[in-house]
Amino acid sequence: MTTIIIAFIVVLGVLIFFHELGHFLVARLCGVGVEKFSLGFGPRLIGKTVGITDYRISAIPLGGYVKMVGDEPDAELDPELLPLSFTHKHVFKRILIVAAGPFFNLLLAVMIYTGFFVFVGTEDIRPVVRHVETGGPAAIAGLQTGDRITAIDGRPVTAWGDIDKLVAEAKGSRLHFSVVRDGEVIDFTIEPQAKVTKDILGDDLPYYDVGCSGLAPLAAIVGEVADGYPAKAMGVRKGDRIVAINDQPVDSWRTMTTLISGSKGAPLHVRLDRAGSVINVEIVPIRFSEENLLGEQVESYRIGISTPGVTIPDADRITIKRGFFQAVAESIAQTYQISRLMVLSIGKLIKGTVSTKTLGGPIMIAEMAGQQAEEGLTHLIFFIAWLSINLAVINFLPIPVLDGGHLLFFFIEAIMRRPLNTRMREMAQQAGIFILIMLMVFVFYNDISRIFSS
């Protein structure tokens, strides 16, 4: 519990600080006076006043704010403060100031990813073929297990990630692979095969595949056996190798799961290899019906075993560090992709194609922060980047009270060449507050329901 609380405060503190720092810095650049820079809401705990600005930490760590001179349109101001007034600045300066908050959240994510790509690097595997799919493009061209791919279309390859990138960029065009086999360089021409999978939102995701991998197929070896499941009841043990199901040979974990799923709950005659001894058991899979991200009921069948995990030889592991400019470019691309996914998710929530049960609030954030902290500092920092992007996207939504709502009013003002009348602004603000309160009640309900259901 202590880890969860500390991680939650750290995560929220970093996100709020950068968000409000964006408002603060751009406000000062635009000549707007700042009266308060607060991390948290409620009573002031500690702080220091510099010039006219009170830098403070407040009691409730669930937000923060920047109080600018003249940020209330109808407030009375001393004449000497008018040059520092937010309301009296040109509308485009006000747009910049308001947009700076969520923009700085995006900038924080880019900074985190850039630092990670430059100084820590990403784990990858060497471009050595460990598996060739039977009948796939690579097999047809003649690639074999153990081949080391050195170049594609003359572009050098140093890690498997380079192969994935070059295949994706080719969009199905023929590729010329240069490989080293037994010390000899051999060239192959491979035409990637178009395939379609599903992304996490259930949309079709087309991609191209050459039919080879840098990972050996996951063997059908039992890692753990769960209590209360058929496998345990029939005596299956950790380390057993499943060699056949219903007399059909099993050469990988994928083949095994396909046969179990296809059983539709019918009894399975399973042949095991246990330290060289052959054991035959009959297992009846259990049917499960679960709700996916789209709110759809998904049927599956399980016998209660798990994989021992993927083992990558140390000789195949490689850490890739980028140069600064390449890291910045990849960080921007990463931030864009997460932002895009977030926007699509919101759209699907509105349409009802994604279940509202996936929404979470402060309790869920605290739990996730605690989990990431227990995994290590790197995981926690990546979580901050991901959450910072989410915060930016949400704040850009055109809901009154949020930054996006203020931006909407200012854009209307820029087009109409006059501000919206006070009554209309007040009604919009009240509607925005009501929406946010209802949303907070709903996500708290989701969080609490999730705790009890687990």
Side-chain angles (χ1 to χ4, degrees):
M1 181 59 73
T2 303
T3 301
I4 290 176
I5 294 172
I6 293 174
F8 179 64
I9 292 173
V10 169
V11 168
L12 218 57
V14 172
L15 296 181
I16 293 166
F17 174 76
F18 264 83
H19 184 92
E20 301 304 332
L21 182 65
H23 291 312
F24 174 80
L25 290 177
V26 178
R28 298 301 297 125
L29 285 172
C30 291
V32 174
V34 177
E35 297 175 353
K36 297 176 185 177
F37 185 111
S38 177
L39 291 180
F41 296 117
R44 183 181 192 268
L45 297 179
I46 57 172
K48 184 177 182 180
T49 300
V50 179
I52 67 168
T53 306
D54 177 21
Y55 300 91
R56 61 165 68 179
I57 297 177
S58 300
I60 305 173
L62 293 177
Y65 63 93
V66 167
K67 175 70 173 69
M68 291 175 279
V69 174
D71 57 6
E72 298 176 4
D74 301 321
E76 293 186 4
L77 286 176
D78 293 333
E80 63 268 19
L81 291 178
L82 289 179
L84 300 177
S85 171
F86 173 79
T87 302
H88 292 80
K89 295 297 180 182
H90 191 279
V91 65
F92 289 117
K93 286 188 176 181
R94 282 178 275 148
I95 288 172
L96 289 175
I97 293 168
V98 172
F103 175 78
F104 262 58
N105 281 123
L106 296 175
L107 181 62
L108 172 61
V110 171
M111 290 169 59
I112 289 174
Y113 291 136
T114 299
F116 186 83
F117 291 154
V118 171
F119 298 108
V120 179
T122 54
E123 295 296 320
D124 208 329
I125 53 178
R126 297 186 187 280
V128 178
V129 178
R130 298 300 181 194
H131 174 65
V132 179
E133 181 184 323
T134 303
I140 294 171
L143 255 67
Q144 298 177 7
T145 300
D147 287 347
R148 180 165 58 87
I149 301 169
T150 57
I152 296 177
D153 282 349
R155 298 167 68 178
V157 168
T158 57
W160 203 269
D162 298 332
I163 299 172
D164 292 336
K165 181 180 177 181
L166 292 171
V167 170
E169 289 176 354
K171 298 185 182 300
S173 300
R174 290 184 177 181
L175 295 169
H176 301 285
F177 279 61
S178 297
V179 307
V180 174
R181 180 186 298 168
D182 298 328
E184 181 184 356
V185 178
I186 307 174
D187 293 326
F188 297 94
T189 299
I190 301 177
E191 185 172 341
Q193 183 179 11
K195 293 185 177 181
V196 178
T197 186
K198 296 285 186 182
D199 63 18
I200 65 171
L201 297 176
D203 292 327
D204 287 342
L205 182 65
Y207 70 101
Y208 292 93
D209 181 39
V210 292
C212 63
S213 170
L215 295 174
L218 190 60
I221 298 175
V222 178
E224 299 293 338
V225 185
D227 292 331
Y229 280 79
K232 185 81 169 183
M234 298 309 298
V236 177
R237 299 179 187 175
K238 180 178 181 178
D240 287 349
R241 178 189 289 271
I242 298 175
V243 295
I245 295 177
N246 291 344
D247 294 326
Q248 296 186 50
V250 172
D251 57 0
S252 67
W253 189 271
R254 182 177 180 181
T255 302
M256 180 202 70
T257 56
T258 300
L259 291 172
I260 293 173
S261 298
S263 72
K264 301 299 181 183
L268 298 173
H269 301 283
V270 180
R271 187 179 308 144
L272 306 172
D273 182 329
R274 180 178 296 164
S277 299
V278 176
I279 299 172
N280 292 288
V281 295
E282 183 176 277
I283 301 176
V284 180
I286 297 176
R287 177 183 176 274
F288 281 83
S289 183
E290 298 172 316
E291 193 174 88
N292 64 10
L293 187 64
L294 305 178
E296 302 166 337
Q297 290 296 320
V298 178
E299 185 181 84
S300 63
Y301 293 87
R302 304 174 192 170
I303 62 173
I305 61 173
S306 63
T307 168
V310 178
T311 301
I312 302 175
D314 290 339
D316 281 1
R317 295 178 183 271
I318 186 173
T319 299
I320 304 295
K321 294 184 179 181
R322 279 80 164 174
F324 177 74
F325 293 107
Q326 183 185 1
V328 170
E330 292 190 17
S331 298
I332 292 173
Q334 176 95 337
T335 301
Y336 167 75
Q337 290 298 335
I338 297 175
S339 302
R340 176 179 172 276
L341 186 62
M342 181 69 178
V343 171
L344 291 174
S345 300
I346 293 172
K348 288 182 176 290
L349 279 167
I350 295 171
K351 291 179 180 178
T353 53
V354 169
S355 174
T356 53
K357 292 181 181 179
T358 59
L359 292 174
I363 296 175
M364 184 179 180
I365 293 172
E367 288 181 335
M368 293 176 69
Q371 291 168 1
Q372 299 305 314
E374 289 173 354
E375 291 289 333
L377 182 60
T378 300
H379 287 80
L380 183 62
I381 292 173
F382 263 98
F383 177 68
I384 290 174
W386 175 81
L387 198 59
S388 190
I389 296 170
N390 278 255
L391 181 63
V393 172
I394 290 172
N395 265 284
F396 272 128
L397 293 177
I399 299 174
V401 181
L402 297 180
D403 291 330
H406 294 300
L407 290 172
L408 177 62
F409 292 155
F410 293 151
F411 280 120
I412 292 173
E413 178 181 338
I415 294 170
M416 297 176 61
R417 298 181 182 275
R418 59 180 175 81
L420 287 173
N421 65 67
T422 303
R423 177 61 180 161
M424 187 172 292
R425 285 202 309 269
E426 288 176 351
M427 290 176 61
Q429 295 282 8
Q430 290 169 0
I433 292 172
F434 176 77
I435 291 171
L436 287 183
I437 290 174
M438 290 297 99
L439 183 59
M440 287 301 296
V441 169
F442 183 75
V443 296
F444 266 113
Y445 170 78
N446 271 0
D447 287 348
I448 294 169
S449 299
R450 199 176 288 114
I451 291 171
F452 281 105
S453 65
S454 63

